[in-house]
Amino acid sequence: MTMTVERPDVYSLTLRDARTVAVLGGVGYAVAVLSWLFSEGVHFASQEPGALVFGYGYALVGMFLTAAVPLYLFGRFSLVSPPLATLSLLGETAYQWAYGTHLHPLPSYLTVWPILLGFTLAVTAGEATLRVVLDRAVGRFGLRPLL
Protein backbone atom coordinates (compact mmCIF):
# COMPACT_ATOMS: atom_id res chain seq x y z
CA MET A 1 0.00 0.00 0.00
CA THR A 2 1.43 3.33 -1.03
CA MET A 3 0.37 6.69 0.17
CA THR A 4 0.62 9.82 -1.94
CA VAL A 5 0.48 13.29 -0.59
CA GLU A 6 -1.00 15.97 -2.79
CA ARG A 7 0.99 19.17 -2.80
CA PRO A 8 -0.06 22.38 -4.40
CA ASP A 9 1.94 23.25 -7.47
CA VAL A 10 4.49 25.82 -6.33
CA TYR A 11 4.73 27.26 -9.83
CA SER A 12 1.04 27.89 -10.36
CA LEU A 13 0.04 31.52 -10.31
CA THR A 14 -3.37 32.76 -9.28
CA LEU A 15 -4.85 36.18 -8.75
CA ARG A 16 -4.35 35.58 -5.03
CA ASP A 17 -0.59 35.37 -5.51
CA ALA A 18 1.61 38.40 -4.79
CA ARG A 19 3.70 37.72 -7.89
CA THR A 20 0.67 37.78 -10.17
CA VAL A 21 -0.65 40.97 -8.62
CA ALA A 22 2.78 42.57 -8.94
CA VAL A 23 3.15 41.65 -12.61
CA LEU A 24 -0.36 42.74 -13.54
CA GLY A 25 -0.05 45.94 -11.53
CA GLY A 26 3.38 46.69 -12.99
CA VAL A 27 2.15 46.22 -16.55
CA GLY A 28 -0.95 48.33 -15.90
CA TYR A 29 1.06 51.09 -14.25
CA ALA A 30 3.65 51.10 -17.04
CA VAL A 31 0.98 51.32 -19.74
CA ALA A 32 -0.97 54.03 -17.92
CA VAL A 33 1.98 56.21 -16.99
CA LEU A 34 3.76 55.86 -20.33
CA SER A 35 0.52 56.60 -22.19
CA TRP A 36 0.05 59.72 -20.11
CA LEU A 37 3.64 60.86 -20.57
CA PHE A 38 3.80 60.16 -24.32
CA SER A 39 0.41 61.85 -24.87
CA GLU A 40 1.86 64.95 -23.21
CA GLY A 41 4.69 65.12 -25.73
CA VAL A 42 7.44 63.29 -23.89
CA HIS A 43 9.54 61.55 -26.52
CA PHE A 44 13.03 60.34 -27.28
CA ALA A 45 14.85 62.77 -29.51
CA SER A 46 17.40 60.36 -30.96
CA GLN A 47 16.91 58.95 -34.44
CA GLU A 48 19.32 56.07 -33.89
CA PRO A 49 17.44 52.75 -33.51
CA GLY A 50 19.71 51.44 -30.74
CA ALA A 51 19.20 54.57 -28.66
CA LEU A 52 15.44 54.43 -29.18
CA VAL A 53 15.26 50.77 -28.16
CA PHE A 54 17.34 51.51 -25.07
CA GLY A 55 15.24 54.57 -24.19
CA TYR A 56 11.91 52.83 -24.56
CA GLY A 57 13.21 49.73 -22.77
CA TYR A 58 14.61 51.83 -19.92
CA ALA A 59 11.28 53.66 -19.56
CA LEU A 60 9.18 50.51 -19.80
CA VAL A 61 11.26 48.49 -17.35
CA GLY A 62 11.43 51.46 -15.01
CA MET A 63 7.71 52.08 -14.90
CA PHE A 64 7.06 48.35 -14.52
CA LEU A 65 9.47 48.02 -11.59
CA THR A 66 8.22 51.25 -10.01
CA ALA A 67 4.84 49.58 -9.47
CA ALA A 68 5.61 45.85 -9.43
CA VAL A 69 8.16 45.93 -6.61
CA PRO A 70 5.92 47.89 -4.17
CA LEU A 71 2.92 45.73 -5.03
CA TYR A 72 4.89 42.55 -4.43
CA LEU A 73 6.15 43.83 -1.07
CA PHE A 74 2.60 44.80 -0.14
CA GLY A 75 1.14 41.42 -1.07
CA ARG A 76 4.00 39.26 0.23
CA PHE A 77 4.83 41.05 3.48
CA SER A 78 1.79 43.33 3.99
CA LEU A 79 4.04 46.40 3.92
CA VAL A 80 1.88 49.47 3.28
CA SER A 81 4.63 52.05 2.74
CA PRO A 82 5.80 50.86 -0.72
CA PRO A 83 2.53 51.49 -2.58
CA LEU A 84 1.92 54.67 -0.60
CA ALA A 85 5.39 56.01 -1.40
CA THR A 86 4.96 55.15 -5.09
CA LEU A 87 1.57 56.84 -5.27
CA SER A 88 2.97 59.83 -3.40
CA LEU A 89 5.81 60.21 -5.90
CA LEU A 90 3.42 59.87 -8.84
CA GLY A 91 1.08 62.38 -7.21
CA GLU A 92 3.93 64.83 -6.72
CA THR A 93 4.88 64.46 -10.39
CA ALA A 94 1.27 65.04 -11.45
CA TYR A 95 1.10 68.10 -9.17
CA GLN A 96 4.30 69.52 -10.65
CA TRP A 97 2.99 68.88 -14.15
CA ALA A 98 -0.41 70.47 -13.45
CA TYR A 99 0.85 73.57 -11.68
CA GLY A 100 4.17 74.08 -13.47
CA THR A 101 6.33 74.04 -10.34
CA HIS A 102 8.96 71.94 -12.13
CA LEU A 103 10.23 72.73 -15.61
CA HIS A 104 10.12 69.12 -16.90
CA PRO A 105 8.49 66.79 -14.35
CA LEU A 106 7.36 64.12 -16.82
CA PRO A 107 10.72 63.41 -18.48
CA SER A 108 12.33 63.57 -15.05
CA TYR A 109 9.95 60.89 -13.79
CA LEU A 110 11.08 58.61 -16.61
CA THR A 111 14.78 59.21 -16.22
CA VAL A 112 15.20 59.18 -12.44
CA TRP A 113 13.03 56.15 -11.70
CA PRO A 114 15.96 54.27 -10.07
CA ILE A 115 16.23 57.07 -7.50
CA LEU A 116 12.47 57.04 -6.93
CA LEU A 117 12.46 53.26 -6.55
CA GLY A 118 15.43 53.54 -4.19
CA PHE A 119 13.52 56.08 -2.08
CA THR A 120 10.54 53.73 -1.96
CA LEU A 121 12.77 50.84 -0.89
CA ALA A 122 14.43 52.98 1.79
CA VAL A 123 11.04 53.87 3.24
CA THR A 124 10.08 50.21 3.01
CA ALA A 125 13.21 49.15 4.89
CA GLY A 126 12.25 51.54 7.68
CA GLU A 127 8.75 50.13 7.92
CA ALA A 128 9.99 46.53 7.78
CA THR A 129 12.55 47.18 10.52
CA LEU A 130 9.95 48.84 12.73
CA ARG A 131 7.49 46.00 12.22
CA VAL A 132 10.07 43.29 12.96
CA VAL A 133 11.06 45.11 16.16
CA LEU A 134 7.41 45.49 17.17
CA ASP A 135 6.74 41.83 16.38
CA ARG A 136 9.60 40.71 18.59
CA ALA A 137 8.70 43.16 21.36
CA VAL A 138 4.92 42.81 21.54
CA GLY A 139 4.15 39.90 19.23
CA ARG A 140 2.10 41.96 16.78
CA PHE A 141 2.53 43.78 13.45
CA GLY A 142 4.88 41.16 11.95
CA LEU A 143 5.60 40.68 8.29
CA ARG A 144 2.94 38.29 7.08
CA PRO A 145 1.61 37.60 3.59
CA LEU A 146 -1.47 39.58 2.68
CA LEU A 147 -2.24 37.45 -0.38
Side-chain angles (χ1 to χ4, degrees):
M1 177 172 178
T2 62
M3 178 183 259
T4 60
V5 178
E6 301 242 354
R7 314 183 300 149
D9 185 11
V10 294
Y11 297 109
S12 68
L13 297 176
T14 65
L15 287 177
R16 299 269 312 152
D17 184 17
R19 295 172 295 180
T20 305
V21 171
V23 168
L24 294 175
V27 168
Y29 184 85
V31 168
V33 170
L34 291 175
S35 297
W36 171 47
L37 297 179
F38 293 148
S39 72
E40 290 299 318
V42 175
H43 65 279
F44 299 101
S46 176
Q47 297 301 319
E48 184 157 337
L52 287 174
V53 167
F54 176 79
Y56 282 109
Y58 180 81
L60 184 64
V61 167
M63 292 302 99
F64 173 80
L65 289 176
T66 299
V69 170
L71 284 173
Y72 178 76
L73 293 171
F74 176 67
R76 177 66 177 89
F77 301 108
S78 68
L79 293 163
V80 294
S81 62
L84 291 178
T86 299
L87 289 176
S88 171
L89 292 170
L90 180 63
E92 180 63 25
T93 301
Y95 175 83
Q96 291 173 356
W97 167 76
Y99 293 103
T101 58
H102 184 282
L103 187 58
H104 300 291
L106 303 181
S108 294
Y109 192 72
L110 280 183
T111 57
V112 301
W113 68 260
I115 296 170
L116 302 176
L117 185 58
F119 170 78
T120 299
L121 292 176
V123 170
T124 302
E127 180 191 358
T129 302
L130 176 66
R131 289 185 50 188
V132 166
V133 167
L134 286 173
D135 188 38
R136 291 184 183 198
V138 296
R140 298 189 48 104
F141 307 110
L143 302 176
R144 292 173 181 80
L146 186 64
L147 298 176

